[in-house]
Amino acid sequence: MLTRIDHVGIACRNLAEKIAFYESVFGLRLVSTEINEQQGVREAMLQVSASAAGMSCVQLLEPLGPDTPVGKFLARRGEGIHHVGYGVTDIAAALASIGAGGVRLLDTRPRHGSMGASVAFLHPKDAGGVLIELVQTPSDGD
Ligand code: V0V
Ligand code: CO
């Protein structure tokens, strides 16, 4: 069902500073920056690798305000790993199967994610304390 680690999401207070850190220390390439109002974030994707299964990235997340998922996370836990995004070829089928297994779905239907992807989150309390995001990119399933 899972095809790759699409991205590791990292909560930060200053997006520009953290982009510069990953570019200068690891030589990563910035592939996209977007504001996602629905998710309450300004975010950047930096590519780590690419294969037939698709890209793997670091996603840097700066909250648009304190009362957003990433804003609350920063207040409670500080900067650090916020979620892991896994690639799937059919997000609707994956959600149906995972939901039937008893894991709470934070999104029963996919939402708009970075770079034209469809995304959906699973409850961290049902996934070993890890917030998991499913990601179907426009090229997944080709
Ligand atoms: C909260 N909890 C976490 C967590 N955030 N555990 C692990 N990882 C996280 N990131 C824990 C929290 O400590 C509580 O545990 C418990 O979950 C319930 O928390 P809550 O008080 O309900 O906290 P809220 O109101 O902050 O909500 C948490 C959830 C929320 C996960 C429900 O953040 C959410 O719906 N997230 C999905 C959307 C999202 O994160 N969007 C931003 C990325 P205790 O204290 O009770 O033990 S957007 C993105 O990645 C995009 C667009 C993309 O394209 O990739
Ligand atoms: Co993400």
Side-chain angles (χ1 to χ4, degrees), residues 7 59 61 83 121 133:
H7 62 270
Q59 181 181 43
L61 303 155
H83 65 271
F121 288 86
E133 177 185 354

Side-chain angles (χ1 to χ4, degrees), residues 6-9 45 59 61 82-85 114 119 121 133 135:
D6 183 88
H7 62 270
V8 176
M45 288 286 201
Q59 181 181 43
L61 303 155
H82 179 260
H83 65 271
V84 179
S114 186
V119 303
F121 288 86
E133 177 185 354
V135 182

Side-chain angles (χ1 to χ4, degrees), residues 4-6 28 46-51 54-58:
R4 67 184 178 282
I5 294 178
D6 183 88
L28 294 190
L46 294 104
Q47 185 179 329
V48 177
S49 69
S51 73
M55 268 198 291
S56 288
C57 293
V58 172

Side-chain angles (χ1 to χ4, degrees), residues 57-69:
C57 293
V58 172
Q59 181 181 43
L60 302 174
L61 303 155
E62 182 191 282
L64 294 178
D67 197 21
T68 60

Side-chain angles (χ1 to χ4, degrees), residues 6-7 9 36 39-41 43 45 59 61 68-70 72-73 76-77 81-83 106-107 111-115 117 119 121-125 129-131 133 135:
D6 183 88
H7 62 270
N36 188 322
Q39 298 285 351
V41 290
E43 53 94 7
M45 288 286 201
Q59 181 181 43
L61 303 155
T68 60
V70 176
K72 287 190 204 167
F73 181 92
R76 194 184 279 155
R77 303 195 190 194
I81 295 180
H82 179 260
H83 65 271
L106 292 169
D107 304 298
R111 295 204 274 170
H112 165 69
S114 186
M115 296 189 285
V119 303
F121 288 86
L122 312 181
H123 203 292
K125 287 291 166 195
V130 178
L131 177 59
E133 177 185 354
V135 182

